Coordinates of all heavy atoms in Angstrom, one line a residue:
M1 N -8.6 -5.8 -14.9 CA -8.3 -7.2 -14.4 C -8.5 -7.3 -13.0 O -9.0 -8.2 -12.5 CB -6.9 -7.5 -15.0 CG -6.5 -8.9 -14.7 SD -7.6 -10.1 -15.5 CE -6.9 -11.6 -15.0
K2 N -7.8 -6.3 -12.3 CA -7.9 -6.4 -10.8 C -9.3 -6.2 -10.2 O -9.7 -6.8 -9.3 CB -7.0 -5.2 -10.2 CG -5.6 -5.5 -10.3 CD -4.8 -4.4 -9.6 CE -3.2 -4.6 -9.8 NZ -2.5 -3.6 -9.1
K3 N -10.1 -5.3 -11.0 CA -11.4 -5.1 -10.6 C -12.3 -6.4 -10.7 O -13.1 -6.7 -9.9 CB -12.1 -4.0 -11.5 CG -13.3 -3.4 -11.0 CD -13.8 -2.3 -11.8 CE -14.1 -1.1 -11.0 NZ -14.7 0.1 -11.8
T4 N -12.1 -7.2 -11.8 CA -12.8 -8.4 -12.0 C -12.5 -9.4 -11.0 O -13.4 -10.2 -10.6 CB -12.6 -8.9 -13.5 OG1 -11.2 -9.1 -13.7 CG2 -13.3 -8.0 -14.5
C5 N -11.1 -9.5 -10.6 CA -10.7 -10.4 -9.6 C -11.3 -10.1 -8.3 O -11.8 -11.0 -7.5 CB -9.3 -10.5 -9.6 SG -8.4 -11.3 -10.9
Y6 N -11.4 -8.9 -8.0 CA -12.0 -8.4 -6.7 C -13.4 -8.8 -6.7 O -14.0 -9.3 -5.7 CB -11.8 -6.9 -6.5 CG -12.4 -6.4 -5.2 CD1 -11.8 -6.7 -4.0 CD2 -13.5 -5.6 -5.3 CE1 -12.5 -6.2 -2.9 CE2 -14.2 -5.2 -4.1 CZ -13.5 -5.4 -2.9 OH -14.1 -4.9 -1.8
I7 N -14.2 -8.5 -7.8 CA -15.7 -8.8 -7.8 C -15.8 -10.3 -7.7 O -16.8 -10.7 -7.0 CB -16.2 -8.2 -9.1 CG1 -16.2 -6.6 -9.0 CG2 -17.7 -8.7 -9.4 CD1 -16.6 -5.9 -10.3
F8 N -15.0 -11.0 -8.4 CA -15.2 -12.5 -8.4 C -14.9 -13.0 -7.0 O -15.7 -13.9 -6.4 CB -14.2 -13.1 -9.3 CG -14.3 -14.6 -9.4 CD1 -15.4 -15.2 -10.0 CD2 -13.3 -15.4 -8.8 CE1 -15.4 -16.6 -10.0 CE2 -13.4 -16.8 -8.9 CZ -14.4 -17.4 -9.5
T9 N -13.9 -12.5 -6.2 CA -13.7 -13.0 -4.9 C -14.8 -12.6 -3.9 O -15.2 -13.4 -3.1 CB -12.3 -12.3 -4.3 OG1 -11.3 -12.6 -5.3 CG2 -11.9 -12.9 -3.0
V10 N -15.3 -11.4 -4.0 CA -16.4 -11.0 -3.2 C -17.7 -11.8 -3.5 O -18.4 -12.2 -2.5 CB -16.8 -9.4 -3.4 CG1 -18.1 -9.2 -2.7 CG2 -15.7 -8.6 -2.9
L11 N -17.9 -12.1 -4.7 CA -19.1 -12.9 -5.1 C -19.0 -14.4 -4.5 O -19.9 -14.9 -4.0 CB -19.2 -12.9 -6.7 CG -20.4 -13.8 -7.2 CD1 -21.7 -13.1 -6.8 CD2 -20.4 -13.8 -8.7
I12 N -17.8 -14.9 -4.7 CA -17.6 -16.3 -4.1 C -17.7 -16.3 -2.6 O -18.3 -17.2 -2.0 CB -16.2 -16.9 -4.5 CG1 -16.0 -17.0 -6.0 CG2 -15.8 -18.1 -3.7 CD1 -16.9 -18.1 -6.6
S13 N -17.2 -15.3 -1.9 CA -17.4 -15.2 -0.4 C -18.7 -15.1 0.0 O -19.2 -15.6 1.0 CB -16.4 -14.1 0.2 OG -16.9 -13.0 -0.2
L14 N -19.6 -14.3 -0.8 CA -20.9 -14.1 -0.4 C -21.8 -15.4 -0.7 O -22.7 -15.8 0.1 CB -21.6 -13.0 -1.2 CG -21.2 -11.6 -0.7 CD1 -21.7 -10.5 -1.7 CD2 -21.5 -11.3 0.7
L15 N -21.4 -16.2 -1.7 CA -22.2 -17.4 -2.0 C -21.8 -18.5 -1.1 O -22.7 -19.3 -0.7 CB -21.8 -17.8 -3.4 CG -22.5 -17.0 -4.6 CD1 -21.9 -17.4 -5.9 CD2 -24.0 -16.9 -4.5
T16 N -20.6 -18.6 -0.5 CA -20.2 -19.6 0.3 C -20.6 -19.3 1.7 O -20.5 -20.1 2.7 CB -18.7 -20.0 0.3 OG1 -18.0 -18.8 0.6 CG2 -18.3 -20.3 -1.1
G17 N -20.9 -18.0 2.0 CA -21.3 -17.7 3.5 C -20.1 -17.4 4.3 O -20.2 -17.4 5.6
A18 N -18.9 -17.2 3.7 CA -17.7 -16.8 4.5 C -17.8 -15.5 5.2 O -17.2 -15.3 6.2 CB -16.4 -16.9 3.6
A19 N -18.5 -14.6 4.6 CA -18.7 -13.2 5.2 C -19.7 -13.3 6.4 O -19.8 -12.3 7.1 CB -19.1 -12.2 4.2
L20 N -20.6 -14.4 6.5 CA -21.6 -14.4 7.5 C -21.1 -15.2 8.7 O -22.1 -16.1 9.2 CB -22.9 -14.9 6.9 CG -23.4 -14.2 5.7 CD1 -24.5 -14.8 5.0 CD2 -23.6 -12.7 6.1
V21 N -20.0 -15.2 9.2 CA -19.5 -16.0 10.3 C -20.1 -15.4 11.6 O -19.8 -14.1 11.9 CB -18.0 -16.1 10.5 CG1 -17.5 -16.8 11.6 CG2 -17.5 -16.7 9.1
P22 N -20.8 -16.1 12.4 CA -21.2 -15.4 13.7 C -20.1 -15.2 14.7 O -19.2 -16.0 14.8 CB -22.3 -16.5 14.2 CG -21.8 -17.8 13.5 CD -21.2 -17.5 12.2
V23 N -20.2 -14.0 15.3 CA -19.2 -13.7 16.3 C -19.8 -13.7 17.7 O -20.9 -13.1 17.8 CB -18.6 -12.3 16.0 CG1 -17.6 -11.8 17.0 CG2 -18.0 -12.3 14.5
N24 N -19.2 -14.3 18.6 CA -19.7 -14.4 20.0 C -19.1 -13.1 20.8 O -18.0 -13.2 21.1 CB -19.3 -15.7 20.7 CG -19.9 -15.9 22.0 OD1 -20.7 -15.0 22.4 ND2 -19.6 -17.0 22.7
I25 N -19.9 -12.1 20.8 CA -19.6 -10.9 21.6 C -19.5 -11.0 23.0 O -18.7 -10.5 23.7 CB -20.3 -9.7 21.1 CG1 -20.4 -9.6 19.6 CG2 -19.8 -8.3 21.6 CD1 -21.5 -8.6 19.1
H26 N -20.4 -11.9 23.5 CA -20.6 -11.9 25.0 C -19.9 -13.1 25.5 O -20.5 -13.9 26.2 CB -22.1 -12.0 25.3 CG -22.9 -10.9 24.7 ND1 -22.7 -9.5 25.3 CD2 -23.7 -10.7 23.7 CE1 -23.5 -8.7 24.6 NE2 -24.1 -9.4 23.6
A27 N -18.6 -13.3 25.2 CA -17.9 -14.5 25.7 C -17.7 -14.2 27.2 O -17.3 -13.2 27.7 CB -16.6 -14.5 24.9
E28 N -17.8 -15.3 27.9 CA -17.8 -15.3 29.4 C -16.5 -15.9 29.8 O -16.2 -17.0 29.3 CB -19.0 -16.0 30.0 CG -19.0 -15.9 31.6 CD -20.3 -16.5 32.1 OE1 -21.0 -17.1 31.4 OE2 -20.3 -16.3 33.3
P29 N -15.8 -15.3 30.8 CA -14.6 -16.0 31.2 C -14.7 -17.4 32.0 O -15.8 -17.4 32.7 CB -13.8 -15.0 32.1 CG -15.0 -14.1 32.5 CD -16.0 -14.1 31.5
Y30 N -13.9 -18.2 31.7 CA -14.0 -19.5 32.4 C -12.9 -19.5 33.5 O -11.8 -19.1 33.3 CB -13.7 -20.7 31.5 CG -15.1 -21.0 30.8 CD1 -15.6 -20.3 29.7 CD2 -15.8 -22.2 31.2 CE1 -16.8 -20.6 29.1 CE2 -17.0 -22.6 30.5 CZ -17.5 -21.8 29.6 OH -18.6 -22.0 28.9
V31 N -13.2 -20.3 34.6 CA -12.3 -20.4 35.7 C -12.1 -22.0 36.0 O -13.0 -22.7 35.6 CB -12.8 -19.6 36.9 CG1 -12.8 -18.1 36.6 CG2 -14.2 -20.0 37.4
Y32 N -11.2 -22.2 36.8 CA -11.0 -23.6 37.4 C -11.4 -23.7 38.8 O -11.0 -22.8 39.7 CB -9.5 -24.0 37.1 CG -9.1 -23.9 35.7 CD1 -8.5 -22.8 35.1 CD2 -9.4 -25.0 34.9 CE1 -8.2 -22.8 33.8 CE2 -9.0 -24.9 33.6 CZ -8.4 -23.8 33.1 OH -8.1 -23.8 31.7
T33 N -12.1 -24.8 39.2 CA -12.5 -24.9 40.5 C -12.3 -26.4 40.9 O -12.1 -27.2 40.1 CB -14.0 -24.6 40.7 OG1 -14.9 -25.4 39.8 CG2 -14.3 -23.1 40.3
T34 N -12.6 -26.6 42.2 CA -12.6 -28.0 42.6 C -14.0 -28.2 43.2 O -14.8 -27.3 43.4 CB -11.6 -28.2 43.8 OG1 -11.8 -27.4 44.9 CG2 -10.2 -27.9 43.3
Q35 N -14.3 -29.5 43.6 CA -15.7 -29.9 44.0 C -15.9 -29.2 45.3 O -17.1 -28.7 45.6 CB -15.9 -31.4 44.0 CG -17.3 -31.8 44.3 CD -17.5 -33.3 44.0 OE1 -16.5 -34.1 43.9 NE2 -18.7 -33.8 44.2
T36 N -15.0 -29.3 46.2 CA -15.3 -28.9 47.7 C -14.5 -27.6 48.0 O -14.6 -27.2 49.2 CB -14.7 -30.0 48.6 OG1 -13.4 -30.2 48.4 CG2 -15.6 -31.3 48.4
G37 N -13.9 -27.0 47.0 CA -13.0 -25.8 47.3 C -13.9 -24.5 47.7 O -15.1 -24.5 47.3
K38 N -13.2 -23.5 48.2 CA -13.9 -22.2 48.5 C -13.5 -21.2 47.5 O -14.0 -20.0 47.5 CB -13.6 -21.7 49.9 CG -14.0 -22.7 50.9 CD -13.5 -22.2 52.3 CE -13.9 -23.2 53.4 NZ -13.4 -22.8 54.6
H39 N -12.5 -21.5 46.5 CA -11.9 -20.4 45.7 C -12.0 -20.9 44.3 O -11.9 -22.1 43.9 CB -10.5 -20.1 46.0 CG -10.4 -19.6 47.5 ND1 -10.8 -18.4 47.9 CD2 -9.9 -20.3 48.5 CE1 -10.5 -18.4 49.2 NE2 -9.9 -19.5 49.7
Y40 N -12.0 -19.9 43.4 CA -11.7 -20.2 41.9 C -10.4 -19.6 41.4 O -9.8 -18.7 42.0 CB -12.9 -19.7 41.0 CG -13.2 -18.2 41.1 CD1 -12.4 -17.4 40.2 CD2 -14.1 -17.7 42.0 CE1 -12.6 -16.0 40.2 CE2 -14.2 -16.2 42.0 CZ -13.5 -15.5 41.1 OH -13.7 -14.1 41.1
F41 N -9.9 -20.2 40.3 CA -8.6 -19.9 39.8 C -8.7 -19.6 38.3 O -9.4 -20.2 37.6 CB -7.6 -21.0 39.9 CG -7.4 -21.5 41.4 CD1 -8.4 -22.3 42.0 CD2 -6.5 -21.0 42.1 CE1 -8.3 -22.7 43.3 CE2 -6.3 -21.3 43.5 CZ -7.2 -22.3 44.0
Y42 N -8.0 -18.6 37.8 CA -8.0 -18.3 36.4 C -6.8 -19.1 35.6 O -7.0 -19.4 34.5 CB -7.6 -16.7 36.1 CG -8.8 -15.9 36.4 CD1 -8.8 -15.1 37.5 CD2 -9.9 -16.0 35.6 CE1 -9.9 -14.2 37.7 CE2 -11.1 -15.0 35.8 CZ -11.0 -14.2 36.9 OH -12.0 -13.4 37.1
N43 N -5.8 -19.5 36.4 CA -4.8 -20.3 35.9 C -4.9 -21.8 36.3 O -5.0 -22.1 37.4 CB -3.4 -19.8 36.4 CG -2.3 -20.4 35.8 OD1 -2.3 -21.3 34.9 ND2 -1.1 -20.0 36.2
R44 N -4.8 -22.6 35.3 CA -5.1 -24.1 35.5 C -3.9 -24.7 36.4 O -4.1 -25.5 37.1 CB -5.2 -24.8 34.2 CG -5.0 -26.3 34.2 CD -6.1 -26.9 34.9 NE -6.0 -28.3 34.9 CZ -5.4 -29.1 35.8 NH1 -4.6 -28.6 36.7 NH2 -5.3 -30.5 35.7
H45 N -2.8 -24.1 36.2 CA -1.6 -24.8 36.8 C -1.2 -23.9 38.2 O -0.1 -23.8 38.5 CB -0.5 -24.8 36.0 CG -0.8 -25.6 34.8 ND1 -1.0 -27.0 34.8 CD2 -1.0 -25.4 33.5 CE1 -1.2 -27.5 33.6 NE2 -1.3 -26.5 32.8
D46 N -2.1 -23.2 38.8 CA -1.9 -22.4 40.0 C -1.5 -23.3 41.1 O -2.0 -24.5 41.1 CB -3.1 -21.6 40.3 CG -3.0 -20.6 41.4 OD1 -2.9 -21.0 42.6 OD2 -2.8 -19.3 41.0
R47 N -0.7 -22.8 42.0 CA -0.2 -23.7 43.1 C -1.3 -24.1 44.0 O -1.2 -25.1 44.8 CB 0.9 -23.1 43.9 CG 0.6 -21.9 44.5 CD 1.9 -21.2 45.1 NE 1.6 -19.8 45.6 CZ 1.8 -19.5 46.8 NH1 2.4 -20.3 47.7 NH2 1.5 -18.3 47.1
G48 N -2.4 -23.4 44.1 CA -3.5 -23.7 44.9 C -4.3 -24.9 44.4 O -5.1 -25.5 45.2
L49 N -4.0 -25.3 43.2 CA -4.8 -26.4 42.6 C -3.8 -27.7 42.6 O -4.1 -28.7 42.0 CB -5.3 -26.2 41.3 CG -6.3 -25.1 41.0 CD1 -6.6 -24.8 39.7 CD2 -7.7 -25.7 41.7
S50 N -2.6 -27.6 43.1 CA -1.6 -28.7 43.0 C -2.0 -29.9 43.6 O -1.6 -31.1 43.1 CB -0.3 -28.1 43.5 OG -0.4 -27.9 44.8
H51 N -2.8 -29.9 44.6 CA -3.1 -31.2 45.3 C -4.5 -31.6 45.0 O -5.0 -32.6 45.6 CB -3.0 -31.0 46.8 CG -1.5 -30.9 47.2 ND1 -0.5 -31.8 47.1 CD2 -0.9 -29.8 47.7 CE1 0.6 -31.3 47.5 NE2 0.5 -30.1 47.8
A52 N -5.2 -30.9 44.1 CA -6.6 -31.3 43.7 C -6.6 -32.6 42.9 O -5.9 -32.7 42.0 CB -7.3 -30.2 43.0
K53 N -7.5 -33.4 43.3 CA -7.6 -34.8 42.5 C -8.5 -34.5 41.2 O -8.1 -35.1 40.2 CB -8.3 -35.7 43.4 CG -7.5 -36.2 44.6 CD -8.2 -37.2 45.4 CE -7.4 -37.6 46.6 NZ -8.1 -38.6 47.5
K54 N -9.4 -33.7 41.3 CA -10.2 -33.4 40.1 C -10.4 -31.9 40.0 O -10.9 -31.3 41.0 CB -11.5 -34.1 40.2 CG -12.3 -33.8 38.9 CD -13.2 -35.1 38.6 CE -13.9 -34.8 37.3 NZ -14.2 -36.1 36.6
I55 N -10.2 -31.3 38.8 CA -10.4 -29.9 38.6 C -11.5 -29.7 37.5 O -11.4 -30.4 36.5 CB -9.0 -29.3 38.2 CG1 -8.0 -29.5 39.3 CG2 -9.2 -27.8 37.8 CD1 -6.6 -29.0 38.9
Y56 N -12.3 -28.8 37.8 CA -13.5 -28.5 36.9 C -13.3 -27.1 36.2 O -12.7 -26.3 36.8 CB -14.8 -28.4 37.7 CG -15.1 -29.8 38.3 CD1 -14.8 -30.0 39.7 CD2 -15.8 -30.8 37.7 CE1 -15.1 -31.1 40.4 CE2 -16.0 -32.0 38.3 CZ -15.6 -32.2 39.7 OH -15.9 -33.4 40.2
H57 N -13.7 -27.0 35.0 CA -13.6 -25.8 34.2 C -15.1 -25.4 33.9 O -15.9 -26.0 33.3 CB -13.0 -26.3 32.9 CG -12.7 -25.1 32.0 ND1 -12.8 -25.1 30.6 CD2 -12.1 -23.9 32.2 CE1 -12.5 -23.9 30.1 NE2 -12.0 -23.2 31.1
E58 N -15.4 -24.2 34.5 CA -16.7 -23.7 34.5 C -16.8 -22.2 34.4 O -15.8 -21.5 34.5 CB -17.5 -24.1 35.8 CG -16.9 -23.6 37.1 CD -17.7 -24.0 38.3 OE1 -18.6 -24.9 38.2 OE2 -17.3 -23.6 39.3
P59 N -17.9 -21.7 33.9 CA -18.0 -20.2 33.7 C -17.9 -19.5 35.1 O -18.2 -20.0 36.1 CB -19.4 -20.1 33.2 CG -19.9 -21.3 32.7 CD -19.2 -22.4 33.6
L60 N -17.4 -18.3 35.0 CA -17.2 -17.5 36.3 C -18.5 -17.1 36.9 O -18.6 -17.2 38.1 CB -16.5 -16.2 35.8 CG -16.2 -15.2 36.9 CD1 -15.3 -15.8 38.0 CD2 -15.7 -13.8 36.4
S61 N -19.6 -17.0 36.2 CA -20.9 -16.7 36.9 C -21.3 -17.9 37.7 O -21.9 -17.7 38.7 CB -21.9 -16.4 35.8 OG -22.1 -17.4 34.8
K62 N -21.1 -19.1 37.2 CA -21.5 -20.3 37.9 C -20.6 -20.5 39.1 O -21.2 -20.8 40.3 CB -21.3 -21.6 37.0 CG -21.9 -22.8 37.6 CD -21.8 -23.9 36.6 CE -22.3 -25.3 37.2 NZ -22.1 -26.4 36.3
A63 N -19.4 -20.1 39.1 CA -18.5 -20.2 40.3 C -18.9 -19.2 41.3 O -19.0 -19.5 42.5 CB -17.1 -20.0 39.9
K64 N -19.3 -18.0 40.9 CA -19.7 -17.0 41.9 C -21.1 -17.3 42.4 O -21.4 -17.0 43.6 CB -19.7 -15.6 41.2 CG -18.4 -15.0 41.0 CD -18.4 -13.6 40.5 CE -17.0 -13.0 40.4 NZ -17.1 -11.6 40.0
A65 N -22.0 -18.0 41.6 CA -23.3 -18.3 42.1 C -23.1 -19.5 43.2 O -23.9 -19.4 44.1 CB -24.1 -18.9 41.0
R66 N -22.0 -20.2 43.2 CA -21.8 -21.2 44.2 C -21.1 -20.6 45.5 O -20.9 -21.3 46.5 CB -20.9 -22.3 43.7 CG -21.4 -23.2 42.7 CD -20.4 -24.2 42.1 NE -19.6 -24.8 43.1 CZ -18.4 -25.3 42.8 NH1 -17.9 -25.4 41.5 NH2 -17.6 -25.8 43.7
G67 N -20.9 -19.3 45.4 CA -20.2 -18.6 46.6 C -18.7 -18.6 46.6 O -18.1 -18.3 47.7
L68 N -18.1 -19.0 45.5 CA -16.7 -19.1 45.5 C -16.0 -17.7 45.3 O -16.6 -16.8 44.8 CB -16.1 -20.0 44.4 CG -16.7 -21.4 44.3 CD1 -16.2 -22.2 43.2 CD2 -16.3 -22.1 45.6
T69 N -14.8 -17.5 45.9 CA -14.2 -16.3 45.8 C -12.8 -16.4 45.1 O -12.3 -17.6 44.9 CB -13.9 -15.6 47.2 OG1 -13.0 -16.6 48.0 CG2 -15.1 -15.3 47.9
L70 N -12.1 -15.3 44.6 CA -10.9 -15.4 43.9 C -9.9 -15.9 44.9 O -9.7 -15.5 46.0 CB -10.5 -14.1 43.3 CG -9.2 -14.0 42.6 CD1 -9.2 -14.9 41.4 CD2 -8.9 -12.5 42.3
S71 N -9.0 -16.7 44.4 CA -7.9 -17.3 45.2 C -6.8 -16.3 45.6 O -6.6 -15.3 44.8 CB -7.2 -18.4 44.4 OG -6.0 -18.8 45.1
G72 N -6.2 -16.3 46.7 CA -5.2 -15.5 47.2 C -3.9 -15.7 46.5 O -3.0 -14.8 46.5
T73 N -3.7 -16.8 45.8 CA -2.4 -17.0 45.1 C -2.4 -16.6 43.6 O -1.5 -16.7 42.9 CB -2.2 -18.6 45.1 OG1 -3.2 -19.2 44.4 CG2 -2.0 -19.1 46.5
E74 N -3.6 -16.0 43.2 CA -3.6 -15.5 41.9 C -2.7 -14.3 41.7 O -2.5 -13.6 42.7 CB -5.1 -15.0 41.4 CG -6.0 -16.2 41.3 CD -5.6 -16.9 39.9 OE1 -5.3 -16.3 38.9 OE2 -5.8 -18.2 39.9
S75 N -2.1 -14.1 40.6 CA -1.2 -13.1 40.4 C -1.8 -11.6 40.5 O -1.0 -10.7 40.9 CB -0.4 -13.2 39.1 OG -1.3 -13.2 38.1
N76 N -2.9 -11.5 40.0 CA -3.6 -10.2 40.1 C -3.7 -9.8 41.6 O -3.5 -8.6 41.9 CB -5.0 -10.3 39.4 CG -4.9 -10.5 38.0 OD1 -3.8 -10.4 37.3 ND2 -6.0 -10.8 37.3
Y77 N -4.3 -10.7 42.4 CA -4.4 -10.4 43.7 C -3.0 -10.2 44.4 O -3.0 -9.2 45.3 CB -5.2 -11.6 44.4 CG -5.5 -11.4 45.8 CD1 -6.5 -10.6 46.3 CD2 -4.7 -12.0 46.8 CE1 -6.8 -10.4 47.6 CE2 -5.0 -11.8 48.1 CZ -6.0 -11.0 48.5 OH -6.2 -10.9 49.9
A78 N -2.1 -10.9 44.2 CA -0.8 -10.9 44.9 C 0.0 -9.6 44.5 O 0.7 -9.1 45.4 CB 0.0 -12.2 44.6
S79 N -0.2 -9.2 43.4 CA 0.5 -8.0 42.8 C -0.1 -6.7 43.6 O 0.7 -5.8 43.7 CB 0.5 -7.8 41.4 OG -0.8 -7.5 41.0
K80 N -1.2 -6.7 44.0 CA -1.8 -5.6 44.6 C -1.2 -5.5 46.1 O -1.1 -4.4 46.6 CB -3.3 -5.8 44.8 CG -4.1 -5.6 43.5 CD -5.5 -5.8 43.6 CE -6.2 -5.7 42.2 NZ -7.7 -6.0 42.3
K81 N -0.8 -6.6 46.7 CA -0.3 -6.5 48.0 C 1.1 -6.3 48.0 O 1.8 -6.1 49.0 CB -0.6 -7.8 48.7 CG -2.0 -7.9 49.1 CD -2.2 -9.1 50.0 CE -3.6 -9.2 50.5 NZ -3.7 -10.4 51.5
R82 N 1.9 -6.5 46.9 CA 3.3 -6.4 46.7 C 3.8 -5.0 46.9 O 3.3 -4.1 46.3 CB 3.8 -7.0 45.4 CG 5.2 -7.0 45.3 CD 5.6 -7.6 44.0 NE 7.1 -7.5 43.8 CZ 7.6 -7.4 42.7 NH1 6.9 -7.6 41.6 NH2 8.9 -7.2 42.6
K83 N 4.8 -4.8 47.8 CA 5.2 -3.5 48.0 C 6.7 -3.4 47.4 O 7.5 -4.2 47.6 CB 5.4 -3.1 49.5 CG 5.8 -1.8 49.8 CD 5.8 -1.5 51.3 CE 6.2 -0.1 51.7 NZ 6.2 0.1 53.0
V84 N 6.8 -2.4 46.5 CA 8.1 -2.3 45.7 C 8.9 -1.2 46.4 O 8.4 0.0 46.7 CB 7.8 -1.8 44.3 CG1 9.1 -1.6 43.5 CG2 6.9 -2.8 43.6
I85 N 10.1 -1.6 46.7 CA 11.1 -0.7 47.3 C 12.2 -0.3 46.4 O 12.7 -1.1 45.7 CB 11.7 -1.4 48.7 CG1 10.6 -1.8 49.5 CG2 12.7 -0.5 49.3 CD1 11.1 -2.6 50.8
R86 N 12.4 1.0 46.3 CA 13.4 1.5 45.3 C 14.8 1.2 46.0 O 15.0 1.5 47.1 CB 13.1 3.0 45.2 CG 13.9 3.5 43.9 CD 13.6 4.9 43.6 NE 14.7 5.6 44.2 CZ 14.8 6.9 44.4 NH1 13.7 7.6 44.1 NH2 15.8 7.5 44.9
K87 N 15.7 0.7 45.2 CA 16.9 0.4 45.6 C 17.8 1.7 45.7 O 17.8 2.4 44.8 CB 17.6 -0.7 44.7 CG 18.9 -1.2 45.2 CD 19.4 -2.3 44.2 CE 20.7 -2.9 44.7 NZ 21.2 -3.9 43.9
A88 N 18.4 1.9 46.8 CA 19.3 3.1 46.9 C 20.7 2.8 46.5 O 21.3 1.8 46.8 CB 19.3 3.5 48.4
T89 N 21.2 3.7 45.7 CA 22.6 3.7 45.1 C 23.6 4.2 46.2 O 23.2 5.0 47.2 CB 22.8 4.3 43.9 OG1 22.5 5.7 44.0 CG2 21.8 3.7 42.8
V90 N 24.8 3.9 46.1 CA 25.8 4.4 47.0 C 25.9 5.9 46.9 O 26.0 6.6 48.0 CB 27.2 3.8 46.6 CG1 28.3 4.4 47.5 CG2 27.2 2.3 46.8
K91 N 25.7 6.5 45.8 CA 25.8 7.9 45.6 C 24.7 8.6 46.5 O 24.9 9.6 47.1 CB 25.6 8.2 44.2 CG 25.7 9.7 43.8 CD 25.5 9.9 42.3 CE 25.6 11.4 41.9 NZ 25.4 11.5 40.4
H92 N 23.4 8.0 46.4 CA 22.4 8.6 47.2 C 22.6 8.4 48.7 O 22.2 9.3 49.5 CB 21.0 7.9 46.7 CG 20.6 8.4 45.5 ND1 20.7 7.7 44.3 CD2 20.1 9.6 44.9 CE1 20.2 8.3 43.3 NE2 19.8 9.4 43.6
I93 N 23.2 7.4 49.1 CA 23.5 7.1 50.5 C 24.4 8.1 51.1 O 24.2 8.6 52.2 CB 23.9 5.6 50.8 CG1 22.8 4.6 50.4 CG2 24.3 5.4 52.1 CD1 23.1 3.2 50.3
K94 N 25.5 8.3 50.3 CA 26.5 9.3 50.7 C 25.9 10.7 50.8 O 26.1 11.4 51.7 CB 27.7 9.3 49.8 CG 28.6 8.0 49.9 CD 29.8 8.1 48.9 CE 30.6 6.8 49.1 NZ 31.7 6.8 48.1
K95 N 25.0 11.0 49.8 CA 24.4 12.4 49.7 C 23.4 12.5 51.0 O 23.5 13.6 51.7 CB 23.6 12.5 48.5 CG 23.2 13.9 48.2 CD 22.6 13.8 46.8 CE 22.6 15.2 46.2 NZ 21.9 15.2 44.9
A96 N 22.8 11.5 51.4 CA 21.9 11.6 52.6 C 22.7 11.6 53.9 O 22.3 12.3 54.7 CB 20.9 10.3 52.5
A97 N 23.8 10.9 53.9 CA 24.7 11.0 55.1 C 25.3 12.4 55.3 O 25.4 12.8 56.4 CB 25.8 10.0 55.0
K98 N 25.7 13.1 54.2 CA 26.3 14.4 54.3 C 25.1 15.4 54.8 O 25.4 16.3 55.6 CB 26.7 14.9 52.9 CG 28.0 14.3 52.6 CD 28.5 14.8 51.2 CE 29.9 14.3 50.8 NZ 30.3 14.8 49.6
K99 N 23.9 15.2 54.3 CA 22.8 16.2 54.8 C 22.4 16.0 56.3 O 22.2 16.9 56.9 CB 21.5 15.8 53.9 CG 21.6 16.4 52.5 CD 20.3 16.3 51.8 CE 20.4 16.8 50.5 NZ 19.0 16.7 49.7
S100 N 22.6 14.8 56.7 CA 22.2 14.5 58.0 C 23.3 15.0 59.0 O 23.1 15.2 60.2 CB 21.9 13.0 58.3 OG 23.1 12.2 58.1
S101 N 24.6 15.1 58.6 CA 25.6 15.5 59.4 C 25.7 17.0 59.7 O 25.2 17.8 59.2 CB 27.0 15.1 58.7 OG 27.1 13.8 58.6

């Protein structure tokens, strides 16, 4: 019984074309730009676009062809410049003070 149900399901899917769905492997990322701006943004609600009157959604290749560069307010760019400082506990501070004495 299970075998006949499986064969019937496969036959129906082949006849309807459900198994032949085209897949877009070469999907290109889209970015947000302005008409006169110098930068492109991955996030539509980035603070660099807050005062823009009109925002365009275009492929990254088109934005780069126009000579646009990645915005400095993008999180990927900002995280590279961020310096993380380890918080010192009281125990470590006392230990360092004893060593220096």
Side-chain angles (χ1 to χ4, degrees):
M1 180 68 178
K2 288 183 182 180
K3 195 179 229 183
T4 56
C5 287
Y6 177 74
I7 291 172
F8 182 71
T9 307
V10 170
L11 184 62
I12 295 294
S13 65
L14 288 175
L15 291 176
T16 59
L20 303 174
V21 177
V23 178
N24 188 1
I25 310 171
H26 304 290
E28 186 174 6
Y30 275 75
V31 293
Y32 298 95
T33 62
T34 60
Q35 187 174 7
T36 59
K38 298 177 184 178
H39 303 289
Y40 62 87
F41 303 84
Y42 286 110
N43 185 2
R44 164 67 179 86
H45 302 288
D46 193 279
R47 65 186 169 125
L49 292 170
S50 62
H51 295 293
K53 292 181 182 175
K54 183 148 181 154
I55 298 172
Y56 299 95
H57 189 219
E58 62 184 2
L60 179 61
S61 60
K62 188 176 177 183
K64 285 188 174 182
R66 287 178 41 204
L68 302 181
T69 58
L70 180 62
S71 167
T73 59
E74 284 292 323
S75 63
N76 296 346
Y77 181 78
S79 66
K80 291 179 184 175
K81 289 188 170 185
R82 184 175 170 208
K83 187 176 182 181
V84 178
I85 300 173
R86 198 176 96 197
K87 189 174 180 180
T89 61
V90 175
K91 184 178 179 180
H92 288 106
I93 294 171
K94 288 180 180 178
K95 196 176 201 181
K98 283 183 181 179
K99 283 185 179 180
S100 64
S101 298

